[in-house]
Amino acid sequence: MEEKTKEQLLDEKLQFTKKNVYEEAAPEKCAAILTYAEGYKAFLDAAKTEREAVAFAVDMAEKAGYTPYRIGDVLKAGDKRYLNNRGRSLFLIRMGSAPLETDGVRIIAAHVDSPRLDLKQIPLYEDSGFAFLKTHYYGGIKKYQWTTIPLALHGTVVRADGTMLELKIGECESDPVFYVNDLLPHLGQEQAKKPLGEAIPGEALNILVGGLPLANDDGGERIKRGILRHLYENYGMTEEDFISAELCAVPAYRARDIGFDRALIGGYGHDDRVCAYPALTALFDSKNDNRTVLIVLADKEEVGSDGVSGMQCDIIRDLLDAIADSAGVNPAVVRAASMCLSADVNAAYDPNFADVYERRNSAMISCGTTLSKYTGARGKSSTNDASAEYVGYIRRLFAEEGVIWQTAELGRVDAGGGGTVAKYIAKLNIDTVDIGVPVISMHAPYEVISKADLYTTYEAFAAFIK
Ligand code: MN
Ligand code: MN
């Protein structure tokens, strides 16, 4: 390669240009990017619901020497603990030796719930030779995308006697899968004239689960009763047990490389497990245990972060209080000294739908982990807008550690918008900024990300907790 001229070097210094990570990275880094993606794909396949993601993370944590923590337990430097919040959200705490009053806690918060079809409380019915399960969709979905694809049923049932049942049907090759019907184009003339959002009504998202009538039986609803007998014989569950259950239908697909060159990954629920996985691995790979670190895997982000497992729950405050109390430091002082990366995905610029993006301020695929100073909609409404000082600090950190990163906002001004958990953490008086992986077809049953963006997100998190 030719030496750069003085003018070229000056231009490089003065201009901010997004860089394609695959182009910038040395061959060893490119190899690391591809290797890291294999572990991530295994995580995606094993963790399609928040409960499965929490269970997977607990397993990783225990292998890394973490032990269960309950609010009230005293913490000391060197402790590695995890707080499993009802199996739906998880807090991993690594107590450092640096003073909490000046260094605070480094927090990385990702969410592990993803859009899907939840079963209703009384879901099972029979109609015209079929048995179906009624659903109520969870999170922001384009309903038409959830028809005519193979679905798996995942979830937890609490039976009448209090015993628990974990269900996962549709992931093994030998399992049956489930399905939501759509209309044939031959009879779809009226449907095709409707706006996309109205073509499939919410009450049409019924999951096909059977069609075999009970043999030698004179009663009614023989298909439905056949399904109930199947559920009872195989899982010891009754129709009433659906009421105390969290069952959902998720795409039965596995994560796969996309494209001839394997630069990208297709999978269900990249949003936001693509940030959860780098947060976990950055923590477990971290050698320096000087800093106190809190990794959060939150639930309910896709529906507003409400409830006991959402980020609006006071449990995070209770935990930060417990950390401060253990060290005998005023919790308000610890919060004020803490910093957070709100680890969530952003929309990758899609040249097929260019008109909803403003290209200069969009996340470009494979150009690195994406910092979003603000999110929100309609004039930055409902956003945590990180301070110039905090963004400046993060920038310097990434420059020091050689992390390739970019900035983005979610689409054109007034094209729509969105939010993350950032504002709930900022509410605790903790500097917070959004960062994460750009995603194509976000919230679709099969989303796409770049392995390079996944890896640079891991590098960014590792730098943050170093
Ligand atoms: Mn998200
Ligand atoms: Mn989302």
Side-chain angles (χ1 to χ4, degrees):
M1 212 190 290
E2 274 181 42
E3 285 274 305
K4 286 176 180 164
T5 66
K6 243 172 93 178
E7 285 70 25
Q8 281 173 325
L9 289 168
L10 182 65
D11 280 340
E12 265 181 32
K13 180 185 159 111
L14 298 185
Q15 292 176 326
F16 178 75
T17 39
K18 298 196 176 189
K19 302 182 185 91
N20 186 296
V21 177
Y22 287 120
E23 263 173 11
E24 292 291 311
E28 315 82 73
K29 177 68 78 69
C30 282
I33 289 171
L34 300 184
T35 308
Y36 185 79
E38 297 305 308
Y40 171 60
K41 284 186 286 180
F43 171 66
L44 266 191
D45 289 339
K48 289 191 175 181
T49 65
E50 62 279 359
R51 283 180 186 267
E52 289 167 5
V54 166
F56 192 100
V58 165
D59 199 46
M60 281 175 93
E62 287 183 342
K63 284 182 182 129
Y66 283 68
T67 57
Y69 175 78
R70 282 187 316 187
I71 297 280
D73 292 355
V74 173
L75 293 158
K76 57 181 192 311
D79 278 0
K80 294 175 172 181
R81 308 290 291 271
Y82 66 84
L83 173 56
N84 182 342
N85 180 15
R86 300 165 170 91
R88 299 200 296 191
S89 70
L90 185 71
F91 299 82
L92 294 149
I93 311 136
R94 193 192 67 194
M95 293 295 291
S97 49
L100 283 166
E101 55 268 49
T102 51
D103 287 39
V105 179
R106 291 288 166 113
I107 305 167
I108 303 175
H111 68 90
V112 285
D113 60 316
S114 297
R116 63 191 183 214
L117 305 178
D118 279 352
L119 298 196
K120 291 195 185 193
Q121 305 282 223
I122 302 176
L124 182 63
Y125 70 100
E126 173 177 338
D127 196 348
S128 312
F130 303 106
F132 293 102
L133 295 171
K134 296 292 298 176
T135 68
H136 194 143
Y137 64 96
Y138 174 94
I141 63 166
K142 293 165 88 172
K143 299 183 191 82
Y144 73 89
Q145 293 179 331
W146 293 74
T147 65
T148 69
I149 61 169
L151 297 168
L153 271 183
H154 287 229
T156 300
V157 182
V158 177
R159 301 185 188 94
D161 62 2
T163 54
M164 301 258 292
L165 165 70
E166 297 295 334
L167 272 185
K168 191 193 267 196
I169 307 165
E171 298 293 348
C172 292
E173 273 309 307
S174 56
D175 281 354
V177 292
F178 306 93
Y179 186 83
V180 175
N181 304 356
D182 195 1
L183 201 49
L184 61 168
H186 317 66
L187 298 177
Q189 279 188 35
E190 289 308 311
Q191 184 194 39
K193 288 181 200 156
K194 290 181 184 172
L196 213 51
E198 292 168 18
I200 305 289
E203 290 292 355
L205 293 174
N206 301 313
I207 299 172
L208 185 51
V209 294
L212 190 66
L214 278 177
N216 309 315
D217 185 283
D218 302 328
E221 300 201 301
R222 285 187 291 151
I223 298 172
K224 175 185 167 178
R225 284 168 48 234
I227 300 287
L228 284 173
R229 288 195 193 177
H230 175 87
L231 291 176
Y232 189 67
E233 283 157 18
N234 289 277
Y235 310 109
M237 96 175 254
T238 66
E239 191 170 20
E240 194 174 323
D241 292 341
F242 279 113
I243 294 171
S244 50
E246 288 171 16
L247 288 169
C248 63
V250 295
Y253 310 129
R254 300 178 78 76
R256 305 280 292 267
D257 289 347
I258 297 255
F260 295 113
D261 56 14
R262 299 177 178 267
L264 311 168
I265 304 172
Y268 163 66
H270 284 311
D271 177 8
D272 183 34
R273 289 167 207 134
V274 75
C275 295
Y277 185 74
L280 292 170
T281 49
L283 176 68
F284 301 139
D285 292 347
S286 147
K287 299 282 179 282
N288 179 353
D289 50 9
N290 188 40
R291 283 195 192 290
T292 295
V293 176
L294 173 61
I295 304 292
V296 185
L297 303 188
D299 180 29
K300 296 286 175 279
E301 193 280 338
E302 295 295 357
V303 291
S305 298
D306 297 293
V308 286
S309 50
M311 280 307 283
Q312 296 204 61
C313 175
D314 283 344
I315 189 168
I316 184 168
R317 191 181 174 127
D318 293 341
L319 186 55
L320 290 168
D321 283 0
I323 290 171
D325 289 343
S326 294
V329 184
N330 179 342
V333 173
V334 174
R335 290 201 305 274
S338 296
M339 293 181 188
C340 175
L341 295 182
S342 163
D344 207 344
V345 299
N346 205 316
Y349 177 82
D350 187 338
N352 297 297
F353 302 96
D355 57 337
V356 298
Y357 297 90
E358 187 266 285
R359 202 172 184 284
R360 287 176 190 81
N361 286 285
S362 291
M364 305 307 288
I365 199 83
S366 299
C367 286
T369 195
T370 300
L371 195 76
S372 300
K373 187 172 179 295
Y374 52 84
T375 58
R378 299 171 307 282
K380 291 191 175 182
S381 219
S382 203
T383 182
N384 158 64
D385 196 341
S387 71
E389 292 88 340
Y390 186 49
V391 174
Y393 170 78
I394 298 293
R395 239 183 93 185
R396 287 197 300 283
L397 189 67
F398 291 170
E400 278 164 23
E401 298 295 325
V403 178
I404 299 180
W405 61 284
Q406 57 180 327
T407 68
E409 65 177 315
L410 185 68
R412 289 182 83 91
V413 173
D414 290 340
T420 66
V421 302
K423 59 182 177 178
Y424 306 117
I425 297 161
K427 189 169 174 282
L428 299 170
N429 190 28
I430 296 172
D431 272 313
T432 304
V433 70
D434 280 296
I435 185 166
V437 175
V439 177
I440 290 285
S441 310
M442 196 195 294
H443 286 201
Y446 214 58
E447 305 170 317
V448 174
I449 60 111
S450 158
K451 292 178 183 176
D453 298 329
L454 168 69
Y455 190 75
T456 50
T457 299
Y458 163 75
E459 290 182 309
F461 295 171
F464 183 68
I465 62 172
K466 194 174 168 183

